[in-house]
Amino acid sequence: MQRNRVLAFLLLAAQLLVQIPESCAKVPALIVFGDSTVDSGNNNQISTVLKSNFQPYGRDYFDGKATGRFSNGRIAPDFISEGLGLKNAVPAYLDPAYNIADFATGVCFASAGTGLDNATSAVLSVMPLWKEVEYYKEYQTRLRSYLGEEKANEIISEALYLISIGTNDFLENYYLLPRKLRKYSVNEYQNFLIGIAADFVTDIYKLGARKMSWSGLSPFGCLPLERTTQLFYGSKCIEEYNIVARDFNTKMEVKVYQLNRELDGIIVAGVFKSV
Ligand SMILES: *[C@@H]1O[C@H](CO)[C@@H](O)[C@H](O)[C@H]1NC(C)=O
């Protein structure tokens, strides 16, 4: 599944590039928001138990190092960055080993375990999405003082923004709550999350972002963790979850279509067909 996601991302990046006129086809930076699917090490720097800086994570990474990526090797943004002719790994914003010179061509604000809903990030004390945006604002300030207003603004508007988030809202939050304590029906919760997603896109658009790739939810009922822990299903995929993911993607696809019409100059592409 990880490999399918990588391919979906790469196809999308290529698709975005062909839509953009030749004169500005070069993407100067890759900027990443989201959860463990795209976190390249931010959680190492915060107080949470949700970390991956130990073996067997990273055993296929360049020097077998567990970087804080939730993967045996590189993650999708790293491959996309390389595919765009940028760095072969996207540095985590909170990693003190990197500075603004590194971040000028790519930076990751993602935090494993986070979600669209503030309550999701609170479960494991990770960075809420609004905090990722706060760091992105700080990054813009640093980029402007490093490169000057004009060059920094060019990077901000021409960069490709990758967003991968939403699974944890269901798996680490909604479905962990006893049925009686749930404030929303699944349908209502999906709508609530879609509203937050749209606000997020609008927020970073107002801050200058233009080219975005929104990764839809994967069929999370087939995640090994779910198949292992939900014994009732006897290690098979949990179809109920896959349906939730598919419905969420359908709704998000409609929202992305609206955002593309409403926000002048934005290009949001979505990967919604993988479920
Ligand atoms: C999440 O928390 C932030 C910071 O407190 C707040 O600004 C934002 O409105 C909250 N989002 C939602 C959807 O409640």
Side-chain angles (χ1 to χ4, degrees):
M1 194 181 70
Q2 189 64 26
R3 182 166 306 176
N4 286 342
R5 286 180 70 88
V6 171
L7 282 176
F9 263 123
L10 285 173
L11 284 174
L12 185 65
Q15 205 180 313
L16 272 171
L17 286 175
V18 294
Q19 287 173 6
I20 298 160
E22 190 64 36
S23 59
C24 52
K26 174 95 178 103
V27 170
L30 185 67
I31 298 178
V32 182
F33 292 95
D35 60 20
S36 62
T37 51
V38 291
D39 183 356
S40 60
N42 286 312
N43 276 21
N44 290 350
Q45 308 303 325
I46 62 178
S47 313
T48 172
V49 291
L50 195 60
K51 295 192 198 262
S52 56
N53 52 355
F54 51 89
Q55 294 293 326
Y57 292 112
R59 65 184 177 190
D60 302 318
Y61 199 72
F62 296 112
D63 45 7
K65 190 168 166 240
T67 56
R69 286 170 173 78
F70 286 72
S71 168
N72 56 306
R74 287 192 289 166
I75 52 179
D78 300 323
F79 292 101
I80 294 166
S81 174
E82 185 172 19
L84 292 169
L86 304 168
K87 284 191 287 285
N88 59 15
V90 181
Y93 186 65
L94 298 183
D95 189 336
Y98 299 98
N99 59 36
I100 192 64
D102 303 301
F103 300 143
T105 55
V107 59
C108 170
F109 299 102
S111 175
T114 201
L116 290 158
D117 182 355
N118 284 335
T120 304
S121 55
V123 174
L124 289 164
S125 310
V126 299
M127 266 201 273
L129 186 58
W130 65 264
K131 186 81 184 171
E132 296 187 22
V133 176
E134 287 303 304
Y135 281 125
Y136 172 60
K137 290 182 194 163
E138 181 189 90
Y139 164 75
Q140 289 201 346
T141 307
R142 289 173 66 189
L143 196 65
R144 292 195 170 102
S145 62
Y146 174 64
L147 292 174
E149 193 78 15
E150 197 182 330
K151 182 76 184 127
N153 287 346
E154 188 186 313
I155 290 175
I156 289 161
S157 64
E158 295 293 324
L160 177 62
Y161 293 77
L162 286 185
I163 305 122
S164 179
I165 194 165
T167 308
N168 296 318
D169 292 305
F170 294 99
L171 294 184
E172 305 304 325
N173 179 358
Y174 188 83
Y175 283 109
L176 288 190
L177 289 172
R179 218 168 270 270
K180 271 190 298 196
L181 292 182
R182 290 180 198 155
K183 269 193 296 189
Y184 302 103
S185 67
V186 177
N187 188 42
E188 287 165 346
Y189 193 56
Q190 287 171 333
N191 296 343
F192 170 67
L193 297 178
I194 299 278
I196 298 170
D199 288 346
F200 167 81
V201 168
T202 307
D203 285 349
I204 65 168
Y205 170 83
K206 286 183 183 154
L207 290 166
R210 290 295 179 270
K211 304 172 194 170
M212 305 180 200
S213 163
W214 192 283
S215 167
L217 298 183
S218 63
F220 58 77
C222 296
L223 287 173
L225 180 66
E226 297 308 312
R227 284 186 286 143
T228 309
T229 53
Q230 304 264 353
L231 297 173
F232 177 75
Y233 294 89
S235 85
K236 287 205 284 288
C237 295
I238 301 159
E239 194 51 29
E240 182 191 345
Y241 288 179
N242 289 351
I243 291 168
V244 169
R246 196 180 306 144
D247 291 349
F248 179 91
N249 286 350
T250 304
K251 290 179 183 185
M252 193 61 202
E253 194 168 16
V254 171
K255 184 53 79 180
V256 160
Y257 180 79
Q258 282 174 3
L259 289 165
N260 277 313
R261 291 176 62 114
E262 283 165 17
L263 302 176
D264 192 37
I266 201 171
I267 308 173
V268 191
V271 182
F272 299 119
K273 303 285 189 221
S274 63
V275 179

